[in-house]
Amino acid sequence: LHQISQDFQNLPCKKIISLMDLDAYGTQQYQINIINSIDAHLIFFGKGFSKENSQLDRLQDEEFYKRKRAKGHNIGLFHDFALKNEVRTINIGHFINIEEFHSSLLLNRKYITDVPGQQYIRRQEATAILSKNKIAVKSNFHKKLYSLLVKLGFNPFGNYTLNRLYNLIFQEKIFGAKYIYTEGSGYDRPIRKFFEIPAAKSILITTPCAGFEDLGFIDGENSVVSEPDTILEKINFLEKNPLIAQNIASNGYQLIWKKHSITARSKQLNNALELIKNDNFFGSYWEKGEFKIKTRVQKCVVSSAE
């Protein structure tokens, strides 16, 4: 790994490193040291999209936190890393492909709600409340099966067919439900489900991640903010007010299409690369749904998402 980083550093050109798949809460110092040793710009949700450990009120409840702490891992290095690398960060992350958008009306959905994905602590609580009140949540059996395969030494996600099947099952779940709860785990990061759910024209019900409003999300307008213990109240309101619910779903869909689709990300990235090419890039950030870039010369905003 060190040799690869040295070879990369020695390339006679401007360099870009994508950290979009970096395990933020598992990032260790040796990884940070390697990245910092390379004179490159970074693509990832950086400053504004993480919190200090002291601000993460559910982190210590998570199984991944307990497991990593038991192994001696230092949890929380990512936040400081993002702050220190602000001026070389192209502050963009997850995007939605065209085939992931779905436009059926809520009244045509088969399921009322769902809580897909890894059962982090808040998702466990939301699922328990919904189940207790006899609101069906579609089974995550496929996830348990794939996790078992991983434990047995297989790599189902390395197989194109199995990986594609996994994604299709997830997509069918969010295409078929009206209201879907998610959150960014105890680390409160903007995970991909924040974008996938509104793109499916389902209503995103969520405990907000870091940077939630800066990404363009507005409670009651294009998403619904809720802790697990108020999710039943929120769903009951939406069920009694179908026109309001459909309007929220449509607004969420439009937000993702305009600001977080692959087309939007391409424009945002191109704007940043043009400034980098001219040695005039000085970091980027999000503000109320707009991607903004600062120049090295003026240190002010010169470009946005569109």
Side-chain angles (χ1 to χ4, degrees):
L1 185 60
H2 286 283
Q3 185 60 53
I4 293 172
S5 66
Q6 290 175 7
D7 291 343
F8 186 58
Q9 169 65 18
N10 292 331
L11 290 174
C13 61
K14 296 184 185 299
K15 293 171 278 292
I16 307 287
I17 300 175
S18 173
L19 304 178
M20 289 170 58
D21 290 329
L22 186 68
D23 177 5
Y25 54 71
T27 304
Q28 295 301 292
Q29 190 61 51
Y30 80 92
Q31 296 171 300
I32 291 174
N33 292 342
I34 291 173
I35 296 168
N36 286 338
S37 71
I38 301 171
D39 180 19
H41 288 85
L42 312 174
I43 301 176
F44 72 116
F45 276 139
K47 182 181 177 181
F49 299 108
S50 61
K51 300 177 182 178
E52 295 181 0
N53 281 11
S54 61
Q55 298 176 308
L56 300 171
D57 59 352
R58 301 306 302 272
L59 179 61
Q60 296 187 24
D61 298 330
E62 298 283 13
E63 285 300 319
F64 71 77
Y65 176 85
K66 298 173 184 176
R67 185 171 62 252
K68 289 182 180 292
R69 289 292 291 173
K71 293 180 179 179
H73 290 185
N74 191 345
I75 307 297
L77 296 175
F78 183 86
H79 177 70
D80 187 56
F81 167 77
L83 295 181
K84 290 181 178 178
N85 285 281
E86 175 186 4
V87 298
R88 64 171 180 153
T89 299
I90 304 172
N91 209 337
I92 57 177
H94 310 295
F95 57 85
I96 300 301
N97 291 316
I98 301 302
E99 66 270 15
E100 296 178 271
F101 285 89
H102 181 68
S103 59
S104 72
L105 297 175
L106 294 179
L107 60 84
N108 295 328
R109 304 297 175 99
K110 185 177 180 180
Y111 305 102
I112 294 177
T113 189
D114 202 357
V115 186
Q118 181 69 34
Q119 288 296 290
Y120 297 119
I121 191 67
R122 293 190 189 102
R123 298 183 201 176
Q124 290 179 25
E125 294 171 354
T127 299
I129 289 170
L130 293 170
S131 298
K132 182 179 179 180
N133 288 275
K134 297 182 170 46
I135 298 179
V137 175
K138 197 170 182 184
S139 170
N140 275 319
F141 175 76
H142 71 292
K143 183 166 184 60
K144 296 177 181 178
L145 176 60
Y146 276 63
S147 295
L148 177 61
L149 290 173
V150 171
K151 289 179 180 179
L152 292 174
F154 297 98
N155 181 19
F157 299 106
N159 179 282
Y160 175 82
T161 302
L162 292 177
N163 189 56
R164 179 63 176 158
L165 177 61
Y166 185 93
N167 291 332
L168 287 173
I169 293 172
F170 169 76
Q171 195 171 68
E172 191 272 337
K173 284 167 69 69
I174 64 172
F175 283 2
K178 295 181 181 180
Y179 324 116
I180 303 178
Y181 177 80
T182 198
E183 43 76 64
S185 82
Y187 208 60
D188 289 350
R189 288 277 293 166
I191 62 170
R192 200 168 190 271
K193 290 181 181 64
F194 280 96
F195 308 96
E196 291 172 307
I197 292 167
K201 222 170 191 176
S202 303
I203 293 181
L204 171 66
I205 301 182
T206 183
T207 304
C209 62
F212 183 73
E213 293 182 356
D214 284 329
L215 289 171
F217 293 106
I218 302 173
D219 180 30
E221 181 174 317
N222 54 30
S223 57
V224 174
V225 169
S226 177
E227 292 295 331
D229 60 3
T230 58
I231 189 171
L232 192 63
E233 172 189 334
K234 303 287 184 174
I235 289 174
N236 286 338
F237 173 82
L238 294 168
E239 282 289 271
K240 292 175 182 176
N241 296 275
L243 293 180
I244 293 176
Q246 187 60 61
N247 190 53
I248 293 173
S250 296
N251 289 340
Y253 180 96
Q254 288 300 318
L255 170 68
I256 306 305
W257 181 265
K258 292 179 180 179
K259 306 299 182 182
H260 304 294
S261 66
I262 189 171
T263 302
R265 285 287 183 272
S266 297
K267 293 178 181 178
Q268 294 154 5
L269 181 59
N270 184 67
N271 289 340
L273 293 178
E274 283 295 318
L275 289 173
I276 290 172
K277 183 175 70 174
N278 296 315
D279 294 318
N280 200 20
F281 180 87
F282 200 73
S284 53
Y285 64 97
W286 285 83
E287 184 177 65
K288 297 182 179 179
E290 296 293 336
F291 175 67
K292 299 187 176 183
I293 306 174
K294 292 186 281 188
T295 67
R296 180 177 293 278
V297 175
Q298 298 172 328
K299 299 183 183 179
C300 67
V301 177
V302 297
S303 183
S304 65
E306 296 180 309

